[in-house]
Amino acid sequence: MTERLPATERTSATERLPARAVADALADDSTFTELPVAIRESRPDGPLAWPGYDAARARAAERTGEQESVVCGTARVGGTRAVLIAFEFGFLGGSLGERTGDRLEAAYTYAREHRLPVVPLVATGGSRMQEGMLALTQLQRVARQSALTREAGLAQVAVLRDPTTGGGWATLGAGADVVLALPGAQVGFAGSRVRPADADPAAYTAEAQVAAGAADAVVRPAELRETLGRWLRLLTCPSTTPAPPPEPLGADAGLPATGWDAVRRARSPRRPRAAAYLDAYFSDRAAISGDRCGGTDPDGMLCGFGTREGRTVAYAAQTGTATRPAGYRTAARLIRLADRLGIPVLTLVDTPGAANDAEAERQGAGAAIADLFGAVAGARTPVTTLVIGEGGSGGALALAAPGNTWATPDSYFSVIAPELAAAILKRPPREVEATADQLRIRPQDLVELGVIRGTVGP
């Protein structure tokens, strides 16, 4: 990962490096400083008087040089100061016990007191059996600290190492705002020794979790430091100034003459799509992926954070296809995260409408759209919207900011597609174009009606 750990480049991404080596490799030069540790007094062999527990801890300490399964400290990563929580898997499998909980609580408390983001570098097999239910209840303790940190408007970026299983995955890992994972890492609630014998091992990997929408990206070890630094920088730059709408990229800057002309231009395969607008708008950007409910919509919705003239702007952009339920849920997740962190949002509307096939209904299309409507309506951070193509009914409106929506000259916004409107009204196909005019869907019509704030460009 860095010059201080050249061997990282020559090893497997799943090699279990010591906790301090991981923290040092990610930190800017000589900036990792361990936080003070309060020592909990306990009875011999722990709270359950488990025979041999003290001896097992002593062997783990001798083998790793650590007194517990986590090492917590502060460091600068890519110039941004953060609290790092590095798990030591060599210490009883990185398991969580009462003393682990003490350290985690202290780390989160320090982060809130000093307004720092938190970076869990997770490698754990779960809760420590030798402490029984007292170990398991540490998950509640960690979840509480994570929730308080979230309420304080501080970012949490998790890095999933090998393995990340059990309660560590279900709290510190999956509960983070952004989840990065090393290639090939074992990731799942069930560890390898407790899952069904016939379970597909490929389902319990970092790659599978990204595909299922539970993690954002797989990052190679050589790129982790740079990627983590970028995320910390992006998520720690709040602003109260609304994002300006992008300039139009279409070749035809004139407004459409008729409603059908607006539809034709918006549907043109040569019209710029979301990716082109994002590339032109941001100097750099990083994507989030997945709705945290088992789905992704990479072809229908692009979400993430980017740098615009030195400040961070979050974005949720439709790509011109029918948006799927996972796309709406991912956008809602993005907007709520930006709202918590005080980061302005840019949304780009471009869809013929929400996906309406049977599978979309089974995936909860209505509930997903309602969730996005609610996220936009409840956002305290400023949201700016630009309609860059088709604005198809409620599936498009859900992403639009009330009172701050703009449109490009090659776009339209309609209660329903003109063809469908004509069909519902029992009009023949030859009347579709006239119906488009009646619907008043041109950008200039939308301004006159008060639906949008204005058009961009000359």
Side-chain angles (χ1 to χ4, degrees):
M1 300 178 206
T2 70
E3 291 181 359
R4 284 164 288 139
L5 265 184
T8 308
E9 283 292 323
R10 304 191 298 269
T11 58
S12 165
T14 58
E15 180 180 353
R16 291 166 184 165
L17 296 173
R20 290 180 192 272
V22 173
D24 285 339
L26 293 176
D28 297 349
D29 290 340
S30 304
T31 59
F32 181 75
T33 304
E34 189 172 3
L35 292 173
V37 176
I39 304 299
R40 174 190 290 261
E41 296 294 332
S42 62
R43 60 187 295 182
D45 284 331
L48 304 186
W50 187 283
Y53 182 37
D54 283 348
R57 288 177 55 90
R59 289 192 298 271
E62 182 179 3
R63 181 169 59 251
T64 64
E66 304 296 346
Q67 297 301 309
E68 248 307 327
S69 58
V70 292
V71 176
C72 304
T74 62
R76 291 192 178 276
V77 181
T80 301
R81 191 163 176 252
V83 169
L84 304 187
I85 298 172
F87 275 73
E88 176 55 70
F89 190 79
F91 194 101
L92 302 180
S95 57
L96 280 74
E98 286 186 304
R99 292 181 179 177
T100 322
D102 292 342
R103 294 188 177 207
L104 294 173
E105 184 174 271
Y108 274 98
T109 301
Y110 186 93
R112 292 194 299 275
E113 290 174 346
H114 294 82
R115 304 294 303 168
L116 299 177
V118 180
V119 180
L121 306 167
V122 190
T124 175
S127 300
R128 195 168 298 169
M129 292 181 296
Q130 295 93 329
E131 296 187 20
M133 277 301 298
L134 291 175
L136 190 64
T137 58
Q138 300 309 304
L139 303 182
Q140 295 172 317
R141 192 178 179 189
V142 172
R144 174 63 175 164
Q145 292 303 312
S146 178
L148 291 173
T149 303
R150 190 177 300 115
E151 291 173 5
L154 300 171
Q156 300 172 67
V157 182
V159 176
L160 312 182
R161 298 153 56 212
D162 185 58
T164 297
T165 60
W169 163 230
T171 52
L172 291 155
D177 299 315
V178 174
V179 181
L180 309 176
L182 295 180
Q186 180 187 173
V187 181
F189 187 64
S192 60
R193 297 186 182 182
V194 297
R195 66 183 65 137
D198 60 350
D200 179 7
Y204 301 83
T205 62
E207 290 77 5
Q209 297 295 347
V210 171
D216 292 291
V218 172
V219 182
R220 295 193 305 116
E223 300 169 351
L224 183 57
R225 184 183 181 194
E226 179 183 355
T227 300
L228 182 57
R230 180 186 303 115
W231 272 114
L232 291 175
R233 174 176 51 79
L234 288 170
L235 299 182
T236 54
C237 293
S239 171
T240 58
T241 304
E247 291 297 314
L249 300 181
D252 190 346
L255 293 170
T258 67
W260 187 249
D261 185 35
V263 172
R264 179 184 56 78
R265 288 169 60 178
R267 292 177 180 174
S268 170
R270 296 183 298 276
R271 175 181 57 78
R273 275 10 189 218
Y277 273 91
L278 296 176
D279 286 344
Y281 192 81
F282 293 111
S283 57
D284 75 304
R285 54 191 170 98
I288 68 167
S289 176
D291 61 2
R292 300 299 186 260
C293 299
T296 62
D297 186 19
D299 298 325
M301 185 77 77
L302 305 177
C303 295
F305 294 80
T307 302
R308 165 75 176 181
E309 297 179 348
R311 68 190 186 106
T312 300
V313 175
Y315 63 87
Q318 292 170 317
T319 64
T321 65
T323 309
R324 307 215 49 93
Y328 291 114
R329 284 191 286 261
T330 304
R333 173 193 158 210
L334 179 282
I335 290 169
R336 290 193 174 103
L337 173 56
D339 192 44
R340 287 204 314 271
L341 301 179
I343 294 172
V345 178
L346 170 70
T347 66
L348 301 180
V349 169
D350 187 8
T351 180
N356 58 7
D357 53 81
E359 186 58 29
E361 293 297 339
R362 282 191 287 267
Q363 294 170 357
I369 295 170
D371 189 40
L372 180 54
F373 267 119
V376 173
R380 296 158 297 179
T381 197
V383 180
T384 302
T385 298
L386 180 64
V387 185
I388 63 171
E390 292 194 80
S393 194
L397 187 65
L399 200 59
N404 198 25
T405 292
W406 304 75
T408 63
D410 51 357
S411 69
Y412 77 88
F413 217 150
S414 179
V415 64
I416 193 170
E419 297 92 335
L420 299 178
I424 291 172
L425 296 171
K426 298 181 180 179
R427 294 177 176 178
R430 66 177 180 275
E431 295 187 23
V432 168
E433 295 186 18
T435 302
D437 283 334
Q438 282 186 286
L439 288 169
R440 300 198 65 191
I441 60 180
R442 299 175 304 168
Q444 61 266 43
D445 296 326
L446 300 170
V447 173
E448 184 178 341
L449 292 169
V451 174
I452 65 173
R453 189 169 171 180
T455 58
V456 294

